[in-house]
Amino acid sequence: MTESQKSALLSKAHEMLQFSYAPYSGFKVGAALLCKSGKIFGGCNIENAAFSPSNCAERTAFFNAVSSSESEFEAIAIVGGANGIVKDFCPPCGVCRQVMMEFCDAKSFKIILQDGNGMTKEFFLEEILPLGFSAKNLQD
């Protein structure tokens, strides 16, 4: 991934904060997913009064990409904060990590987080989901 791609990802993640639907928690999250094709798909969190039907920004980005025939991914940028104000790093929840495991190579897929000061942290999926469960676990 180039610095230009990383910058575009972070910019798109911040842009997606404005589309977040978070009337219950007030915690808005934006994500941007880089496909190996070079396309970038955005996602935002979408809450629901019943809570369990809510969807995280990361999964929204993945589902947008997959529903557009993309299936190979390189990286995702994630930002978030109360009322859409990014202060601290916003790591993906466990369910989002599992969705990433379904579609990504844990050794090479990057998760990029940015705080309100513009500082970034980068992780490979295997670092934040050690011993992740994947289709390989279901093979005979």
Side-chain angles (χ1 to χ4, degrees), residues 3 92 94 118 132:
E3 282 301 313

Side-chain angles (χ1 to χ4, degrees), residues 32-95:
L33 178 64
L34 175 63
C35 302
K36 290 197 176 180
S37 68
K39 292 181 185 174
I40 294 175
F41 286 85
C44 61
N45 58 322
I46 304 166
E47 294 182 348
N48 187 288
F51 294 115
S52 63
S54 296
N55 201 54
C56 297
E58 300 91 292
R59 284 183 281 146
T60 300
F62 269 94
F63 299 160
N64 280 338
V66 171
S67 66
S68 295
S69 300
E70 294 288 341
S71 61
E72 295 183 340
F73 307 103
E74 190 170 332
I76 192 166
I78 308 162
V79 296
N83 301 311
I85 300 167
V86 177
K87 292 183 180 177
D88 203 355
F89 297 105
C90 183
C93 74
V95 174

Side-chain angles (χ1 to χ4, degrees), residues 9-20 26-32 43-45 57 77-91 112-121:
L9 269 183
L10 288 164
S11 179
K12 181 70 171 181
H14 281 278
E15 176 189 330
M16 294 307 299
L17 288 170
Q18 69 183 316
F19 302 111
S20 172
F27 196 90
K28 297 182 177 197
V29 182
C44 61
N45 58 322
I78 308 162
V79 296
N83 301 311
I85 300 167
V86 177
K87 292 183 180 177
D88 203 355
F89 297 105
C90 183
I112 304 164
L113 310 177
Q114 187 175 57
D115 69 9
N117 296 318
M119 298 294 296
T120 60
K121 288 186 178 183

